Amino acid sequence: MREKPKYLPPTLREKHRYIAFQLISERSFRKEEVRKAVWEASLSALGVLGSARTKPWFIKFDEKSQTGIVRVDRKHVEELRFALTLMTEINGSRAIFRTLGVSGTIKRLKKKFLAKYGWR
């Protein structure tokens, strides 16, 4: 007989928030470039310990509309927003991150902030 895998109940799981952002830049960027830029922004502004606390996790990026989603720990949303705001350059091209909004679920984030950019 096979046992069911053990998992954490919802009360013990870590709570996350999702940040919708728009990348305003001189040129279009690929998903991998933006993923690396988010991580570098977090490390440079918050350091290794701060990045470990915020737990930034790149979820999705639409190269056509230059918008994306980043997951962050619930208690450290403002710290990651601060780190992204300080980023002014990606691979030698000028670029800034514009926060569109923050939500507790990806579904609501897409509906409320990213629908006008063609997200479903």
Side-chain angles (χ1 to χ4, degrees):
M1 181 184 255
R2 198 165 174 207
E3 290 185 29
K4 290 176 81 174
K6 302 241 183 221
Y7 62 92
L8 284 174
T11 56
L12 296 178
R13 292 183 201 153
E14 293 181 0
K15 309 286 191 282
H16 302 290
R17 293 293 177 263
Y18 299 92
I19 299 175
F21 66 88
Q22 180 183 23
L23 194 59
I24 301 170
S25 61
E26 299 173 332
R27 67 176 181 93
S28 297
F29 290 102
R30 293 187 332 268
K31 180 180 178 179
E32 291 303 318
E33 291 176 305
V34 177
R35 178 185 310 212
K36 188 176 178 185
V38 167
W39 183 245
E40 287 176 357
S42 176
L43 280 176
S44 66
L46 306 174
V48 176
L49 185 60
S51 294
R53 270 185 280 163
T54 58
K55 299 178 194 118
W57 192 258
F58 188 82
I59 301 292
K60 198 168 183 181
F61 184 72
D62 180 34
E63 294 178 2
K64 185 176 142 193
S65 65
Q66 295 291 296
T67 55
I69 301 172
V70 176
R71 185 178 75 193
V72 63
D73 187 71
R74 172 183 63 164
K75 298 174 186 171
H76 303 283
V77 172
E78 293 302 318
E79 292 175 25
L80 186 65
R81 288 181 66 186
F82 166 73
L84 292 177
T85 304
L86 292 180
M87 184 62 120
T88 59
E89 188 176 286
I90 300 175
N91 292 343
S93 297
R94 293 178 9 169
I96 59 170
F97 284 91
R98 176 178 170 232
T99 301
L100 300 174
V102 178
S103 180
T105 64
I106 293 175
K107 181 178 180 179
R108 185 68 179 155
L109 190 76
K110 288 179 180 180
K111 185 177 179 183
K112 192 171 181 182
F113 302 109
L114 297 171
K116 63 182 173 186
Y117 297 102
W119 289 63
R120 292 183 182 208

